Amino acid sequence: MDNILENIRTIRESKGYSQESISEMLNMTQASYARFERGATKTDLSVVRKVAVLFNMSLVDLISYPKKLIDPDLIESNMQVQKEVKATLTIEMGKEKKDQVFRFLFEDNNIEILNK
């Protein structure tokens, strides 16, 4: 997780954002954001996702920074035009781990899981 937090700090500074300005956009105190960025508190993935959105980046690119794996124009167009996407995913693992993976990938979106 340290690399992600280092990436967040590096990107924030390169974009000229202060910790205070980012904290305001995330609706948190500057002190809370500073602890988050330092890794002094438990890192909440939802905050990392919000930071990626603020930076107009995908979560994948935030993690892999400075390497870009997803075109930022695609992120912007996907945010503006939501299309229905159907996919089939087969995972062989224990139910608890599978539920954790789905929550990580799909957040709180409604997911219909078919166990075959």
Side-chain angles (χ1 to χ4, degrees):
M1 189 60 85
D2 289 341
N3 283 345
I4 297 169
L5 299 176
E6 288 172 26
N7 292 349
I8 288 172
R9 181 188 50 78
T10 301
I11 296 164
R12 176 183 58 76
E13 290 174 349
S14 73
K15 292 184 175 282
Y17 291 124
S18 66
Q19 284 186 342
E20 185 176 7
S21 65
I22 293 292
S23 68
E24 287 174 8
M25 289 185 255
L26 295 172
N27 199 24
M28 63 190 333
T29 66
Q30 189 275 329
S32 294
Y33 180 80
R35 285 190 300 275
F36 157 75
E37 195 175 87
R38 278 195 324 270
T41 59
K42 249 185 169 178
T43 302
D44 186 343
L45 187 58
S46 67
V47 175
V48 177
R49 283 188 188 111
K50 289 175 185 177
V51 170
V53 169
L54 289 176
F55 294 161
N56 193 31
M57 299 176 76
S58 70
L59 187 55
V60 171
D61 285 341
L62 185 65
I63 294 167
S64 66
Y65 184 81
K67 192 174 187 177
K68 287 206 177 246
L69 301 175
I70 299 177
D71 182 354
D73 291 335
L74 293 176
I75 296 169
E76 199 170 298
S77 65
N78 284 339
M79 292 172 94
Q80 292 173 357
V81 179
Q82 300 237 341
K83 296 180 182 176
E84 185 176 327
V85 176
K86 294 184 180 187
T88 302
L89 176 64
T90 303
I91 299 176
E92 293 184 28
M93 61 179 69
K95 179 174 176 24
E96 182 180 317
K97 288 292 181 188
K98 185 168 76 173
D99 290 344
Q100 290 173 355
V101 169
F102 280 121
R103 279 194 302 277
F104 175 77
L105 291 174
F106 301 108
E107 300 174 340
D108 293 329
N109 297 320
N110 292 327
I111 302 170
E112 183 178 319
I113 303 171
L114 300 175
N115 291 317
K116 295 183 179 183

